[in-house]
């Protein structure tokens, strides 16, 4: 395995709705910031990979517009996933393993605000014959999962509220957060349900933002970054689709991805200082803590996590960027980042990062 | 026991309705506003000096913001074209009609628009064309403020 | 460098309007065929890459989630790649990269489109306020580019008709092809309806449903099956920005550089002589001479002469699209992968009626967007030196 590290990142502020900028307009300043922060000349980037989704943009080939901000001239080696950009990160990491180049730039751009009503869009992510025609509310399957988690004792409504309160309090230190603030648990528990047992604040707020992460290999990474965040293990796995045939109190693909990442990393999730989890709903945090095997000493979502802002298809990549930032800043020795795709944690990615000993 | 099999379901319509808000962005918005004032606003890249029409916010080649917009008269030459010759659902113009790439004078990019007010057989690469604008009340921040392009008078004379 | 990568399994289904089959069943059919060819059970791979054109085409968002069972994907890593029409090529290359990087020993690459279930026209003609409503349609973009090619090269007009005839005749040898027209002639193409002048109806690709799949394997896994593998000798993808002043869409630099990179890896110096057969992404007939020039199989402005003198026909010295190509079947999400796998079938000697005798080195090529995305691989019957 080639040594690959995150050496830089940048993110635009997560907005409930950005009505000023088009795709390239959101992205260009973020790419500039990521590169200038290293600093790194754009010409030195050997590979570009991105993630976005047409169903959020409402048009086909939407990501083509974002390439206007990448600088694909002269022609570049480039790829794209129509999923969360954490999977683009994996592709870029695997590309660097080939040894054809040393530096890769990954970006995710999500504009969840463009669909006027997510209830029109989210059901299309399901089996088109059996499930989409039922048109479940956008949070319905998550509500069913949360209900199962409550009944099985994995979490409580009180714990869910504590998770929200902690996340939003932590988000006050995150300049990119969409929502933040100090809340009392009792105050949160008094709020009405949107998809019982989920209340409004249990649902991560969908919005618009772009995230950029720069990866570099070996000595190039060391030359670019005082404290590179080395990717020690990364893996992703898929579960079956039908919510009715899955045990929603489990996330076996998250468990498997963590085990696989651990095998190459040489350390387990229980040993990380911080964990950034792509939870779209508060009730998923206790489930992931169990599946990933996180310990009590680990700080979970110190950035505030997605409960403080979920730019669709960039939210997972932001977890990697935040976890790496914790290492690059010297605040953490080891970190875990998690990303998910689909309903009720159907598909999961786990990335274990480590800084050099001080 | 041996009940007849049910008739297979061969069609299962699931009509989807989705509404989106499109965001034009800063550069495009400036250009589209110009169209509602019968102005074609181009932008020059301060780095490679290429002139963009329509002008995005920045040059996709050099990735720097374009200079203040300059106004072009819209005249140009047909760089290449096709003739749409068949009807299809949702078509608003009766075929045949000409869709052309037009190279506006003073710009380095090409734009796509209709060529009308000319016999289709007369349309050729290199033909001088000019925009035909909508009337004042019909102007809007969209390409549709230009009805179509037509040959400029001198061109018509040459073919007369 | 890592060990070589081979194609050890290939599966595809009939390209047609297939409303009697669900998306899952159609994908499963191709996947099962590819796994059987590779002598593997479903799920006996280390990773899966899914290729698919825009989700709006058939109305399912993130279809890899729904297709988890059809793909045999439970517990496996699944990536859904998307780069326009070139996606099938990108997906195959990503799958091969996973093996080269040592992250997998066997990878399933699957691809499909089910456009008959969605509203293709709706998906492609969303009323965007930023562009003029010209009613140009799909070919309206490509037709002016073709006119520009004809002007530059001075090619006579019958070239486009001849390509259409060649590919349609080839399709008669391929049971999977959507369009079978035994009575096709140059006269018929010439007389067919003009769609986007200069593109006539019979010079255009159809819209098809269809699925395809391949199994890639590391060299250490490739010698175990009864049927011979196809070895990857070189592969590359390149992208160029779509909107900038001075872009050349007739002969895009990204396509030329993509091909040059793959040839360099394959040790090819004279592609026109060293390649026996090519499957190119030709959605409109005139793209055959254009791509021949773009990827270095013909000198600039001379590609049409290879059509004119019969070189690119089935019996010629450089047959192009013996499968019938995109003109004879176009499930867009799978079209690129079909080009790649048809090249592999040729060097495996398993192309059946459309087998080019003695084919030992072949090109699979895919293109997407407004010719912004390019992917190409060179496959051969011999294991490349490491």
């Amino acid at each position: 395995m080639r040594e690959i590290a995150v050496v830089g990142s940048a993110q635009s502020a997560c907005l409930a709705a950005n009505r000023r900028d088009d795709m390239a307009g959101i992205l260009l300043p973020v790419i500039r910031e990521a590169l200038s922060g290293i600093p790194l000349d754009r010409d030195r980037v050997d590979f570009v990979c991105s993630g976005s989704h047409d169903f959020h943009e409402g048009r086909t080939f939407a990501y083509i517009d974002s390439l206007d901000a990448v600088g694909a001239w002269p022609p570049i080696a480039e790829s794209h996933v129509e999923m969360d950009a954490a999977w683009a990160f994996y592709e870029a990491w695997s590309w660097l393993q080939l040894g054809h180049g040393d530096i890769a730039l990954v970006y995710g751009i999500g504009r969840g605000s463009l669909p006027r009503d997510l209830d029109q869009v989210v059901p299309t992510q399901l089996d088109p014959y059996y499930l989409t025609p039922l048109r479940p509310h956008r949070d319905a399957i998550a509500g069913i999962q949360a209900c199962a988690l409550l009944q099985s004792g994995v979490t409580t409504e009180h714990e869910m509220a504590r998770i929200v309160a902690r996340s939003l309090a932590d988000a006050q230190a995150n300049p990119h957060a969409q929502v933040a603030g100090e809340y009392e648990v009792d105050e949160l528990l008094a709020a009405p349900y949107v998809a019982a047992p989920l209340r409004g604040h249990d649902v991560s707020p969908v919005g618009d933002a772009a995230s950029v992460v720069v990866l570099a290999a070996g000595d190039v990474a060391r030359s670019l970054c005082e404290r590179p965040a080395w990717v020690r293990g990364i893996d992703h796995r898929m579960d079956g689709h039908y919510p009715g045939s899955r045990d929603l109190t489990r996330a076996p693909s998250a468990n498997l991805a963590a085990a696989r990442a651990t095998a190459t990393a040489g350390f387990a999730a229980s040993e990380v200082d911080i964990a950034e989890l792509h939870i779209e709903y508060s009730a998923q945090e206790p489930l992931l803590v169990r599946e990933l095997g996180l310990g009590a000493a680990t700080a979970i979502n110190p950035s505030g996590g997605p409960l403080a802002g979920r730019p669709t298809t960039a939210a997972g990549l932001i977890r990697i960027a935040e976890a790496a930032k914790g290492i690059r800043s010297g605040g953490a020795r080891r970190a875990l980042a998690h990303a998910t795709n689909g309903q009720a944690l159907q598909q999961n990615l786990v990335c274990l990062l480590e800084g050099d000993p001080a | 026991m041996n009940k007849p099999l049910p008739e297979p379901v061969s069609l299962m319509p699931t009509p989807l309705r989705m509404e989106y808000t499109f965001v034009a962005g800063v550069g495009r918005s400036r250009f589209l506003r110009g169209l509602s004032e019968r102005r074609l606003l181009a932008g020059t890249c301060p780095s490679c000096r290429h002139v963009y029409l329509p002008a995005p916010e920045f040059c996709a080649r050099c990735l720097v913001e374009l200079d203040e917009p300059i106004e072009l008269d819209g005249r140009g030459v047909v760089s290449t074209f096709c003739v749409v010759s068949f009807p299809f659902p949702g078509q608003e113009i009766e075929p045949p009609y000409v869709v052309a790439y037009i190279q506006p004078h003073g710009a380095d990019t090409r734009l796509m628009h209709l060529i009308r007010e000319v016999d289709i057989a007369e349309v050729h690469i290199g033909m001088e064309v000019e925009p035909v604008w909508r009337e004042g009340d019909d102007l809007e921040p969209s390409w549709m403020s230009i009805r179509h392009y037509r040959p400029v008078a001198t061109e018509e004379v040459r073919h007369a | 460098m890592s060990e070589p990568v081979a194609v050890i399994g290939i599966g595809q289904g009939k390209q047609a309007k297939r409303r009697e089959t669900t998306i899952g069943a159609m994908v499963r059919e191709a996947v099962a065929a590819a796994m059987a060819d590779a002598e593997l059970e479903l799920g006996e791979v280390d990773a899966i890459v899914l290729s698919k054109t825009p989700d709006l085409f058939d109305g399912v968002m993130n279809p890899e989630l729904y297709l988890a069972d059809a793909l045999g994907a439970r517990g496996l890593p699944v990536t859904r790649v998307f780069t326009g029409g070139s996606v099938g090529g990108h997906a195959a290359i990503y799958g091969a990269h996973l093996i080269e990087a040592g992250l997998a020993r066997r990878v399933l690459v699957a691809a499909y489109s089910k456009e008959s279930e969605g509203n293709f026209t709706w998906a492609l003609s969303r009323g965007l306020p930023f562009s003029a409503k010209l009613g140009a349609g799909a070919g309206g973009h490509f037709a002016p580019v073709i006119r520009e090619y004809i002007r530059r090269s001075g090619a006579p007009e019958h070239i486009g008709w001849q390509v259409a005839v060649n590919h349609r005749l080839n399709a008669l040898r391929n049971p999977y092809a959507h369009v079978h027209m035994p009575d096709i002639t140059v006269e018929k193409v010439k007389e067919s309806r003009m769609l986007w002048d200069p593109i006539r109806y019979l010079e255009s690709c159809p819209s098809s449903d269809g699925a395809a799949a391949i199994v890639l394997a590391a060299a250490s896994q490739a010698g175990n099956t009864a049927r011979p593998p196809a070895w990857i000798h070189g592969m590359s993808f390149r992208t160029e920005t779509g909107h900038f002043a001075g872009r050349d869409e007739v002969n895009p630099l990204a396509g030329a550089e993509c091909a040059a990179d793959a040839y360099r890896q394959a040790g090819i110096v004279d592609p026109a002589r060293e390649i026996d057969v090519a499957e190119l992404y030709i959605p409109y007939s005139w793209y055959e001479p254009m791509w021949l020039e773009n990827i270095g199989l013909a000198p600039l402005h001379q590609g049409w002469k290879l059509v004119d003198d019969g070189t690119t026909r089935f019996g010629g010295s450089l047959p192009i699209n013996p499968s019938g190509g995109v003109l004879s079947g176009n499930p867009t999400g799978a079209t690129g992968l079909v080009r790649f796998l048809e090249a592999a079938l040729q060097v495996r000697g398993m192309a059946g009626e459309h087998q080019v005798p003695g084919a030992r080195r072949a090109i699979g090529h895919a293109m997407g967007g407004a010719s912004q995305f390019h992917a190409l691989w060179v496959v051969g019957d011999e294991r490349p030196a490491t």
Side-chain angles (χ1 to χ4, degrees):
Chain A
M1 252 340 100
R2 216 173 165 211
E3 277 194 312
I4 312 288
V6 174
V7 296
S9 66
Q11 187 198 323
S12 66
C14 193
L15 304 176
N18 182 337
R19 293 291 180 257
R20 179 181 182 274
D21 302 302
D22 59 13
M23 210 183 211
I26 293 179
L27 188 59
L28 183 69
V30 187
I31 292 181
R32 276 183 185 156
E33 187 189 333
L35 293 175
S36 65
I38 294 176
L40 182 69
D41 193 46
R42 182 181 303 265
D43 297 344
R44 288 189 60 196
V45 174
D46 300 305
F47 182 68
V48 174
C49 199
S50 59
S52 67
H53 205 286
D54 282 353
F55 259 96
H56 290 301
E57 298 283 329
R59 55 204 184 114
T60 56
F61 300 105
Y63 108 92
I64 284 181
D65 270 12
S66 74
L67 288 171
D68 284 358
V70 167
W73 188 261
I76 58 170
E78 180 266 341
S79 189
H80 176 82
V81 299
E82 195 80 345
M83 334 165 59
D84 189 283
W87 275 260
F89 180 92
Y90 185 95
E91 182 171 352
W93 173 80
S94 64
W95 189 89
L96 288 171
Q97 292 297 338
L98 300 173
H100 298 168
D102 295 323
I103 299 175
L105 184 144
V106 183
Y107 66 89
I109 181 144
R111 296 202 290 174
S113 81
L114 298 186
R116 288 208 191 147
D117 180 358
L118 281 173
D119 287 345
Q120 296 173 334
V121 174
V122 172
T124 65
Q125 208 184 32
L126 299 166
D127 177 324
Y129 310 101
Y130 282 177
L131 297 175
T132 301
L134 300 172
R135 319 246 172 166
H137 172 272
R138 73 184 81 158
D139 301 317
I141 291 172
I144 290 169
Q145 182 177 38
C147 190
L149 290 166
L150 290 180
Q151 284 184 357
S152 63
V154 174
T155 188
T156 62
E157 289 193 47
H158 198 267
E159 185 185 26
M160 287 159 57
R162 277 206 320 268
I163 288 165
V164 173
R166 187 204 72 223
S167 299
L168 296 183
D170 287 346
Q172 294 175 106
N174 180 352
H176 307 303
Q178 187 172 323
V179 290
E182 294 289 346
Y183 295 90
E184 296 296 330
V185 167
D186 289 342
E187 179 188 353
L188 294 172
L189 286 172
Y193 292 120
V194 293
L198 299 171
R199 298 177 168 85
H201 51 253
D202 292 311
V203 181
S204 57
V206 169
D208 305 342
S211 167
V212 172
V213 173
V214 181
L215 285 163
D219 288 342
V220 175
R222 290 184 188 90
S223 73
L224 293 173
C225 182
E226 200 170 314
R227 190 173 157 77
W230 300 105
V231 178
R232 297 297 193 207
I234 182 168
D235 195 89
H236 61 95
R237 298 283 150 173
M238 174 74 92
D239 280 324
H241 178 64
Y242 301 93
S245 64
R246 288 163 57 194
D247 177 354
L248 295 178
T249 67
R250 299 291 316 276
S253 64
N255 181 285
L256 181 57
R260 295 283 185 150
T262 297
T264 48
F267 65 90
S270 58
E271 300 170 65
V272 301
D273 304 310
I274 56 173
E276 282 283 342
L277 307 182
H278 185 178
I279 51 161
E280 302 193 335
Y281 302 90
S282 61
Q284 292 173 337
E285 185 181 298
L287 169 58
L288 282 171
V289 165
R290 278 176 24 151
E291 294 288 7
L292 302 175
L294 291 168
T298 299
I300 295 172
N301 287 351
S303 69
L307 290 172
R310 170 175 34 139
T312 48
T313 67
L317 182 64
I318 290 173
R319 306 280 70 75
I320 297 174
E322 289 288 352
K325 221 188 320 181
I327 290 171
R328 289 193 292 121
S329 68
R333 169 83 202 286
R334 287 168 170 165
L336 177 148
H338 159 265
T340 194
N341 263 324
Q343 300 278 317
L345 300 170
Q346 188 188 338
Q347 193 181 15
N348 293 281
L349 179 147
V350 172
C351 179
L352 290 169
L353 299 146
E354 187 178 39
D356 290 322
Chain B
M1 303 298 107
N2 280 321
K3 283 185 189 163
L5 288 168
E7 278 294 304
V9 175
S10 60
L11 194 65
M12 219 177 100
T14 308
L16 301 170
R17 178 181 173 79
M18 289 172 207
E19 296 146 292
Y20 292 90
T21 304
F22 291 115
V23 178
V26 175
R28 262 203 216 99
S29 293
R30 192 185 296 128
F31 175 77
L32 294 171
R33 293 275 168 225
L35 287 173
S36 66
E37 300 162 2
R38 290 194 197 172
R39 300 168 71 203
L40 280 168
L41 298 176
T44 309
C45 172
S47 170
C48 67
R49 303 311 301 172
H50 279 103
V51 177
Y52 283 82
L53 181 77
E57 196 175 348
F58 51 86
C59 173
R61 197 162 159 158
C62 309
L63 304 176
V64 296
E65 276 71 5
L66 301 182
D67 287 341
E68 281 306 297
I70 51 170
E71 197 170 336
L72 300 178
D73 66 6
R75 285 195 176 198
V77 297
V78 171
S79 129
T80 182
F81 64 97
C82 78
V83 185
V84 181
S85 306
F86 67 114
F88 54 82
Q91 200 170 34
E92 289 175 16
I93 309 158
E94 195 177 332
Y97 52 90
V98 175
V99 177
Y101 285 174
I102 295 157
Q103 180 78 61
H105 294 310
D108 294 300
T109 53
R110 301 186 298 184
L111 57 88
M112 208 174 179
H113 221 297
L114 303 164
I115 307 286
R116 312 203 81 172
E117 297 186 42
V118 59
D119 185 349
I120 287 177
E122 299 287 317
V123 178
H124 57 275
I125 292 174
M127 185 169 77
E128 285 274 330
V129 291
E130 64 186 5
V132 179
W133 293 89
R134 287 190 183 278
E135 300 307 312
D137 293 348
D138 287 346
L139 289 170
E140 52 181 73
S142 112
W143 270 116
M144 301 322 284
S145 281
I146 296 176
R147 271 182 211 285
H148 54 260
Y149 273 71
R150 69 179 173 206
V152 301
T154 53
E155 190 72 11
E156 282 166 357
V157 168
R158 193 160 66 81
H159 284 275
Chain C
M1 194 51 217
S2 50
E3 60 181 329
V5 180
V7 182
I8 63 164
I10 290 175
Q12 53 180 321
K14 174 73 180 167
Q15 298 162 16
K17 183 174 178 179
R18 298 186 57 180
R19 292 186 88 165
E20 79 290 355
T21 312
T22 62
I23 294 172
M26 196 180 69
V27 170
R28 179 62 162 258
E29 177 190 40
V31 167
M35 296 299 285
D37 185 16
E39 297 176 22
L40 296 171
E41 297 297 322
L42 199 73
E44 277 189 340
V45 290
D46 303 313
I48 296 174
V49 183
L50 180 67
S51 154
K52 171 74 185 63
T53 37
D55 287 356
L56 291 173
F57 279 9
D58 34 23
V60 185
M61 181 180 184
N62 297 124
E64 65 278 7
L65 299 167
Y66 147 66
L67 289 170
D69 285 334
L71 292 165
R74 277 191 205 207
L76 293 178
V78 179
T79 311
R80 193 290 188 79
V81 177
F82 174 65
T83 59
S86 64
V87 59
H90 264 81
I93 292 174
Y94 181 35
H97 280 170
L98 288 173
I99 294 170
E100 278 196 345
L103 301 169
R105 291 160 305 142
R106 291 189 290 248
V107 176
L108 169 70
V109 182
Y112 80 96
S113 264
K114 195 76 190 293
E115 280 143 31
S116 75
E117 281 186 31
N119 190 331
F120 193 79
T121 315
W122 171 79
L124 272 182
S125 58
R126 311 275 297 142
L128 287 176
F130 326 135
S131 43
K133 277 176 259 169
L134 303 177
H141 179 86
F142 295 101
V145 180
I146 288 169
R147 187 180 297 276
E148 172 69 9
Y149 170 76
I150 295 170
R151 189 191 65 79
R152 288 189 199 175
S153 66
E157 61 181 350
H158 69 267
I159 296 299
W161 309 333
Q162 187 63 53
V163 170
V165 170
N166 292 352
H167 292 201
R168 269 26 177 292
L169 288 176
N170 292 350
L172 297 174
R173 301 166 176 270
N174 178 7
Y176 298 116
H178 187 172
V179 177
H180 282 147
M181 303 183 73
D183 54 350
I184 186 111
T185 60
V186 165
E187 276 307 303
K188 281 206 167 134
V189 179
K190 180 184 172 183
E191 297 305 323
S192 70
R193 179 176 214 173
M194 187 63 89
L195 300 183
W196 303 274
D197 194 344
I199 300 177
R200 289 182 183 274
Y201 173 71
L202 287 176
E203 294 177 283
S204 310
C205 58
S207 172
S208 318
D209 299 341
I214 61 171
V215 179
L216 297 163
S220 57
Q221 313 282 314
N224 313 331
T225 56
R227 289 163 295 276
W231 295 95
I232 301 172
H233 290 196
M235 55 185 162
S236 186
F237 45 58
R238 286 289 182 276
T239 297
E240 69 184 46
T241 306
H243 325 104
F244 68 83
R247 180 162 183 257
D248 182 1
E249 224 181 299
V250 174
N251 190 14
L253 185 59
E257 292 191 352
C258 172
D261 185 37
Y263 299 151
R264 183 188 50 74
Q265 295 167 33
I268 288 174
V269 289
D270 184 355
R273 286 185 46 185
E274 296 177 63
I275 296 295
D276 300 314
V277 51
E279 282 280 342
L280 309 183
Y281 199 107
I282 298 166
Y284 300 99
S285 58
W286 277 98
Y287 274 80
E288 175 167 315
M290 282 167 60
W291 291 150
L292 287 173
E293 295 172 24
N294 185 238
I295 66 172
L297 294 176
L300 198 61
H301 307 320
Q302 309 284 311
W304 62 271
K305 291 181 181 165
L306 303 190
V307 179
D308 214 22
D309 68 12
T311 300
T312 61
R313 279 186 212 167
F314 188 76
S317 60
L318 180 55
I320 302 298
N321 292 5
S323 70
V326 190
L327 288 177
S328 308
N330 186 28
T332 48
T335 299
L337 186 65
V338 171
R339 304 283 73 71
F340 274 51
L341 73 79
E342 284 288 349
L345 278 176
Q346 289 289 344
V347 298
R348 295 175 80 194
M350 291 176 57
E353 290 287 304
H354 63 285
Q355 177 67 46
V356 172
R360 301 190 57 199
R361 262 189 160 181
I363 285 175
H365 161 268
M367 176 277 292
S371 305
Q372 291 126 306
F373 305 100
H374 301 261
L376 186 143
W377 78 8
V378 178
V379 284
D381 66 340
E382 277 185 20
R383 177 179 166 147
T386 38

